[in-house]
Amino acid sequence: PTAGATGYLVLLYFFLSGLASLALEVIWFRMLVLLLPATTYAFTTMLATVLGGISSGSAVAARWLRRDRDWVAVLSRLNLATALAVLVSLLILATTYAMGWWTSGTIQASVVAILPSAFLMGLAFPIALRVWTGNGDTGHPDMARRIGVAYGINMSGAIAGAVLGGFVLLPLVGSRTSLAIASGIYLLSG
């Protein structure tokens, strides 16, 4: 299991990734409400895209984790890529809004905007768990506790992110700046 400075940095990653991901869900939903005719469609589009991306990314990570790699470096690069993908999602959603797409093309544009970020989030989390728990020896007596700690810290970040996104960022700085700040959080976690 990872200890020392790397261990603390991975725990910080779990918190920051939870914070940024739930803040993004709130922010993306707010942006989609401007594009889609009803909030039910906006929420469903955002949630299905985020969950589909996370699950797809996790499935790919499961295959990757069979290989030996410098997982800390991989995790860092994935967080940087996620930060960039979040910024690109801002451009796609802003362009879609500016073009006045009020058809099913909006749903497709929303999926294109959100899916890459969500996929990268799903790819990174199992890799961070691997870094945190060590080589994947499921027989290690401390394994379940370490996984529980990681999920607990991530969920604490997610709760903070939902509050930050909905009650602080959006009212104070608006959608675009909020999305840029969430991207910056991913950049910081990398």
Side-chain angles (χ1 to χ4, degrees), residues 28-46 101-103 106-107 110:
W28 278 327
F29 172 67
R30 172 65 182 105
M31 294 179 86
L32 291 179
V33 166
L34 300 172
L35 299 171
L36 296 172
T39 58
T40 303
Y41 296 128
F43 184 77
T44 302
T45 299
M46 177 279 302
W101 287 5
W102 297 101
T103 66
T106 309
I107 293 174
S110 301

Side-chain angles (χ1 to χ4, degrees), residues 147-160:
I147 291 171
V149 165
Y151 273 99
I153 289 172
N154 183 256
M155 285 297 106
S156 296
I159 293 165

Side-chain angles (χ1 to χ4, degrees), residues 5-25:
T6 301
Y8 288 116
L9 289 174
V10 172
L11 290 176
L12 180 62
Y13 159 79
F14 286 125
F15 182 81
L16 291 175
S17 69
L19 180 93
S21 64
L22 262 288
L24 280 168
E25 286 188 37

Side-chain angles (χ1 to χ4, degrees), residues 11-174:
L11 290 176
L12 180 62
Y13 159 79
F14 286 125
F15 182 81
L16 291 175
S17 69
L19 180 93
S21 64
L22 262 288
L24 280 168
E25 286 188 37
V26 172
I27 296 161
W28 278 327
F29 172 67
R30 172 65 182 105
M31 294 179 86
L32 291 179
V33 166
L34 300 172
L35 299 171
L36 296 172
T39 58
T40 303
Y41 296 128
F43 184 77
T44 302
T45 299
M46 177 279 302
L47 190 60
T49 303
V50 168
L51 293 177
I54 288 172
S55 65
S56 299
S58 294
V60 170
R63 296 180 140 247
W64 277 16
L65 287 167
R66 295 180 189 150
R67 303 179 187 128
D68 270 342
R69 294 188 180 184
D70 179 356
W71 293 115
V72 173
V74 170
L75 180 61
S76 180
R77 288 190 298 270
L78 285 172
N79 287 330
L80 297 174
T82 302
L84 291 173
V86 168
L87 289 177
V88 168
S89 80
L90 171 62
L91 297 173
I92 293 170
L93 291 172
T95 301
T96 301
Y97 183 73
M99 294 174 71
W101 287 5
W102 297 101
T103 66
S104 65
T106 309
I107 293 174
Q108 294 150 356
S110 301
V111 170
V112 168
I114 296 169
L115 190 62
S117 301
F119 178 83
L120 291 167
M121 291 174 200
L123 194 57
F125 194 84
I127 291 170
L129 278 175
R130 171 69 177 267
V131 171
W132 173 240
T133 60
N135 67 2
D137 177 16
T138 56
H140 193 281
D142 206 27
M143 181 69 71
R145 186 191 68 77
R146 291 182 72 82
I147 291 171
V149 165
Y151 273 99
I153 289 172
N154 183 256
M155 285 297 106
S156 296
I159 293 165
V163 171
L164 179 70
F167 294 120
V168 179
L169 292 177
L170 285 172
L172 292 179
V173 298

